[in-house]
Amino acid sequence: ADPVAVAEARAHQDRLTKPRGALGALEEVAVRLAGAAAVSPPPLPAPAALAIFAADHGVHAQGVSPWPQEVTLQMVGNFLAGGAVANAFATQVGASVTVVDVGVAADLDPAPGLRISKVAYGTADLSQGPAMTAEQVTAALEAGVVVARELVEQGARCLITGDMGIANTTASAALICAFTGQDAAVATGRGTGVDDETLERKVEVVRRALLANGLTGGPDGAASPGAQTAHAAQMPQMVHIEQKEYKEQSAQIEQTAQAASAMKTLAAVGGLEHAAIAGFILGGAAAGVPVILDGVIAGSAALAAAALAPAVVDHCVAGHRSAEPGHAVALSHLGLRPLVELELRLGEGTGGLLAYPLVCAAVRVMHEVATFDSAGVSDKEA
Amino acid sequence: ADPVAVAEARAHQDRLTKPRGALGALEEVAVRLAGAAAVSPPPLPAPAALAIFAADHGVHAQGVSPWPQEVTLQMVGNFLAGGAVANAFATQVGASVTVVDVGVAADLDPAPGLRISKVAYGTADLSQGPAMTAEQVTAALEAGVVVARELVEQGARCLITGDMGIANTTASAALICAFTGQDAAVATGRGTGVDDETLERKVEVVRRALLANGLTGGPDGAASPGAQTAHAAQMPQMVHIEQKEYKEQSAQIEQTAQAASAMKTLAAVGGLEHAAIAGFILGGAAAGVPVILDGVIAGSAALAAAALAPAVVDHCVAGHRSAEPGHAVALSHLGLRPLVELELRLGEGTGGLLAYPLVCAAVRVMHEVATFDSAGVSDKEA
């Protein structure tokens, strides 16, 4: 974040005709977006584009969801027909909707609003080994980057993440455990509403996935052996360099190692839509627009994106906090405060869409509200 | 609330292409509005109209606010010039703004968007005795009813409450204590941001106000002597009537007594804008449209409206929960769950405006989302 823009944004907030701090968390949103855009006030984040990344999951075979896998495909049809909750919310807030097939386990017919970037017909079962190959995770990530870039080229000034994938809260829980070190029993939730027995099985599947993939669950994936090895391998070259340079290079290498480890973790227990959303976040940040994160799927994907490039978090706004317990773990790790907390547990981008007018309102204040001086309003007595 | 519409709305929610209950608190909003409108789905609550009721307070003389009293007048000018946060938020969500002078301590020039319904040049000091006369409180209430009716006649399908009045959180705290029985130290907050010393004084002023007005702070103002007397006076006439009739009449008399007591409480420690907002809520409910409540001023006014006519609560949606501690007390007493919780403490209707797109989204789902059957989406396995 740009410290000058942050300072200017804070000072500007304090001159506006309202008691200082009276807009609570919304002032912080405006200040953060000023820092990310490196200008105060930050640009109004409009119009917005929602991208719903759809994919299937091999782990569905473990009985972690009461919904048939075909529902992923059927819901893609529902999005394209305008019949899902995400469509109604997008209409309400004036956001466009793009559906991206990155891994649905069936062939989709071309349709307006659908982008086919299929990497695979679903992932492998993450409880048995890696869900994706290195090539697949890279391709899915790249698909997300491209969608973000193209939506911004087409005029979007705010991106909203969406997802569809039966069983994807299981992959999210595993990612959250791997990136934060949290226990599976804490990070795993009922998703779309599983019963006690299924929840127990789901926790067990997440544990097995972490074990099968050598992810003991250290923070930022650092416990994964890949990270340590990559770092150690670079050490000998650096013996003779200066202390400051050493620190810089060391930090860079640390970051490269962390990024390599994050890709491995994402491939191991993520979903194709998680990888694509991580790319979408990276692409949005690279294009300089805010990215509103939806729920637990986005939160777990954002952990991966943040491990790949920590600065992207400055561009992220946590749209809401879902009912899924792992989501709070992810947001706390990212240092993001959710704007909407209404126990939504739907995905599709619905929580991000609801937050969008709040984000716009926060920024609009910076552009349109008078100052004490300009409005001739007396300030508070010292 | 209409029980048939409520049941129909719940059943309809369960047929939509989403996991049951996945929209959390928003499902409850849609169901409540169906009950209030006696039809499922309830009408889309658009367009919306914000009314900002402005008035001054005699209790300002007690040093309960660091802001000069003239700021009420100056902010009215700011609203009319479009320079306040409420204007920016209203633009964002597409709501109209009407400013209503019910008691500003100065004469206002006529202006577009301003309605002059002045009842007095501010209230008397509530810490010394009643803030308003019986005539004043009735006139202010009536002014609010008229504004609500006219806005609905002009096409509004949702009303949002707003307020402006330096020192009005002191009156709100006193109302909340009187209507809920809560202690002044719990219900009184820092308003626009007073220091520790001023907060202590403010609590003391609220206590003095309750004592000076014979309001010991029983729930629903029932502790006020007026209520007991009115009820007792009617008792002798009812000795010979049948048991069922007795119960009905008794309930009616109880309600009449409660209403009389509520008017006395409102006159004693309320503000002219509190009375007007109570009327605005009654008027909105009478016109059959939802009323989105803003913060602690609206919450305390809603306690009065609910005591006057308990059924109005069905039409109310709690827009947000402000940082003011008494607001949570009021909402809990009303049984309302706030939609936005971002530590706003500004008033003007800002929290209500932010909630408006969420309320629309909740209702829009009922109109536009496909059912499992219509979309050909498989339901969850039993």
Side-chain angles (χ1 to χ4, degrees):
Chain A
D2 181 69
V4 176
V6 165
E8 278 180 7
R10 278 199 212 288
H12 185 68
Q13 286 281 0
D14 286 351
R15 284 191 300 269
L16 300 177
T17 45
K18 60 174 182 50
R20 283 165 190 88
L23 290 178
L26 289 189
E27 295 196 13
E28 207 44 45
V29 168
V31 168
R32 288 187 67 236
L33 294 186
V39 59
S40 173
L44 204 66
L50 167 70
I52 306 177
F53 295 91
D56 278 308
H57 296 264
V59 72
H60 185 269
Q62 299 293 330
V64 291
S65 171
W67 300 82
Q69 184 170 273
E70 302 81 70
V71 170
T72 303
L73 176 68
Q74 292 165 350
M75 283 302 295
V76 167
N78 200 15
F79 297 135
L80 296 173
V85 175
N87 301 102
F89 283 10
T91 301
Q92 181 60 45
V93 305
S96 68
V97 179
T98 303
V99 183
V100 187
D101 170 16
V102 281
V104 179
D107 284 313
L108 287 160
D109 292 327
L114 173 66
R115 192 187 169 98
I116 300 178
S117 309
K118 197 190 292 286
V119 173
Y121 291 90
T123 52
D125 181 351
L126 55 86
S127 72
Q128 311 296 309
M132 290 175 268
T133 64
E135 291 70 28
Q136 286 172 337
V137 75
T138 306
L141 199 84
E142 180 61 18
V145 172
V146 170
V147 171
R149 189 168 55 218
E150 292 190 1
L151 287 173
V152 174
E153 278 169 10
Q154 288 159 23
R157 291 298 171 263
C158 181
L159 300 179
I160 304 173
T161 76
D163 70 275
M164 182 67 223
I166 296 300
N168 65 9
T169 59
T170 300
S172 297
L175 286 172
I176 290 165
C177 292
F179 281 111
T180 71
Q182 189 52 267
D183 189 75
V186 176
T188 310
R190 290 175 190 271
T192 47
V194 305
D195 57 19
D196 289 349
E197 194 194 318
T198 312
L199 177 59
E200 212 171 299
R201 182 161 55 235
K202 202 170 157 183
V203 171
E204 205 36 61
V205 165
V206 171
R207 276 198 218 290
R208 238 186 302 143
L210 296 169
L211 275 173
N213 288 284
L215 297 164
T216 51
D220 284 320
S224 116
Q228 304 303 329
T229 316
H231 194 174
Q234 307 266 5
M235 290 298 279
Q237 306 170 9
M238 301 193 320
V239 173
H240 299 298
I241 58 175
E242 296 294 329
Q243 185 63 13
K244 185 177 169 237
E245 247 181 274
Y246 169 79
K247 275 194 182 155
E248 271 170 17
Q249 287 212 17
S250 174
Q252 207 169 37
I253 290 165
E254 180 88 44
Q255 175 50 35
T256 309
Q258 186 182 298
S261 166
M263 287 299 276
K264 281 187 75 163
T265 301
L266 193 51
V269 295
L272 290 154
E273 75 275 46
H274 296 82
I277 291 170
F280 188 66
I281 294 167
L282 293 167
V289 303
V291 181
I292 304 182
L293 306 178
D294 187 34
V296 72
I297 314 304
S300 62
L303 289 173
L308 290 169
V312 301
V313 178
D314 292 343
H315 292 264
C316 292
V317 175
H320 84 129
R321 189 183 64 191
S322 87
E324 198 70 0
H327 194 197
V329 175
L331 291 178
S332 146
H333 194 81
L334 292 163
L336 295 176
R337 178 192 165 141
L339 295 180
V340 172
E341 303 188 51
L342 295 170
E343 277 98 56
L344 268 63
R345 47 181 178 81
L346 178 54
E348 304 181 356
T350 48
L353 288 165
L354 289 180
Y356 172 61
L358 307 187
V359 176
C360 287
V363 175
R364 189 176 285 273
V365 163
M366 303 275 285
H367 290 271
E368 298 182 3
V369 173
T371 61
F372 284 108
D373 279 350
S374 74
V377 173
S378 308
D379 200 349
K380 178 177 169 176
E381 284 153 16
Chain B
D2 180 67
V4 176
V6 165
E8 278 180 8
R10 278 198 211 289
H12 185 68
Q13 286 281 1
D14 286 351
R15 284 191 299 270
L16 300 177
T17 45
K18 60 173 182 53
R20 283 168 189 86
L23 290 178
L26 289 189
E27 295 196 13
E28 206 43 46
V29 167
V31 168
R32 289 188 67 236
L33 294 186
V39 60
S40 173
L44 204 65
L50 167 70
I52 305 177
F53 295 92
D56 279 306
H57 296 265
V59 74
H60 185 270
Q62 299 293 329
V64 290
S65 172
W67 299 82
Q69 183 169 277
E70 301 81 70
V71 170
T72 303
L73 175 67
Q74 292 164 350
M75 284 301 297
V76 167
N78 201 16
F79 297 135
L80 297 172
V85 176
N87 300 102
F89 283 10
T91 301
Q92 181 60 47
V93 305
S96 68
V97 179
T98 302
V99 182
V100 188
D101 170 16
V102 280
V104 179
D107 283 314
L108 287 159
D109 292 327
L114 173 66
R115 192 186 167 98
I116 300 177
S117 308
K118 198 190 290 289
V119 173
Y121 291 89
T123 52
D125 181 353
L126 55 85
S127 71
Q128 311 296 308
M132 291 174 267
T133 64
E135 290 71 28
Q136 286 172 336
V137 75
T138 305
L141 199 84
E142 180 61 19
V145 172
V146 170
V147 172
R149 187 168 57 218
E150 292 191 1
L151 288 173
V152 174
E153 278 169 9
Q154 288 158 23
R157 290 298 170 265
C158 182
L159 300 179
I160 303 172
T161 75
D163 70 275
M164 181 67 222
I166 297 299
N168 65 9
T169 58
T170 300
S172 297
L175 285 172
I176 291 165
C177 292
F179 279 112
T180 71
Q182 189 51 267
D183 188 75
V186 177
T188 310
R190 291 177 190 270
T192 48
V194 306
D195 57 18
D196 289 351
E197 193 194 318
T198 312
L199 177 60
E200 211 171 297
R201 183 162 55 236
K202 203 169 156 182
V203 171
E204 205 35 61
V205 165
V206 171
R207 277 199 218 290
R208 237 185 304 145
L210 296 169
L211 275 172
N213 287 285
L215 297 165
T216 51
D220 285 320
S224 116
Q228 303 304 329
T229 316
H231 195 170
Q234 307 267 5
M235 290 300 277
Q237 306 169 10
M238 303 194 317
V239 174
H240 300 298
I241 57 178
E242 297 293 328
Q243 186 64 11
K244 184 174 169 242
E245 247 180 278
Y246 170 77
K247 276 195 183 155
E248 271 170 17
Q249 288 213 14
S250 175
Q252 207 168 40
I253 289 163
E254 181 86 44
Q255 176 49 35
T256 308
Q258 185 183 297
S261 166
M263 286 298 275
K264 281 187 74 162
T265 301
L266 192 52
V269 294
L272 290 154
E273 75 275 47
H274 295 82
I277 292 171
F280 189 65
I281 294 167
L282 293 166
V289 302
V291 181
I292 303 183
L293 306 178
D294 187 34
V296 70
I297 315 303
S300 61
L303 289 172
L308 291 168
V312 300
V313 178
D314 292 342
H315 292 265
C316 292
V317 175
H320 84 129
R321 188 183 65 191
S322 88
E324 198 70 1
H327 194 198
V329 175
L331 291 178
S332 148
H333 195 82
L334 292 163
L336 295 175
R337 175 188 168 146
L339 294 180
V340 173
E341 301 188 50
L342 296 170
E343 277 96 55
L344 268 63
R345 48 183 177 80
L346 178 56
E348 306 181 355
T350 49
L353 288 165
L354 289 180
Y356 171 61
L358 307 187
V359 176
C360 286
V363 175
R364 190 176 285 273
V365 163
M366 305 275 286
H367 290 271
E368 297 182 4
V369 173
T371 61
F372 285 107
D373 280 349
S374 74
V377 173
S378 308
D379 200 349
K380 178 177 169 176
E381 283 153 15

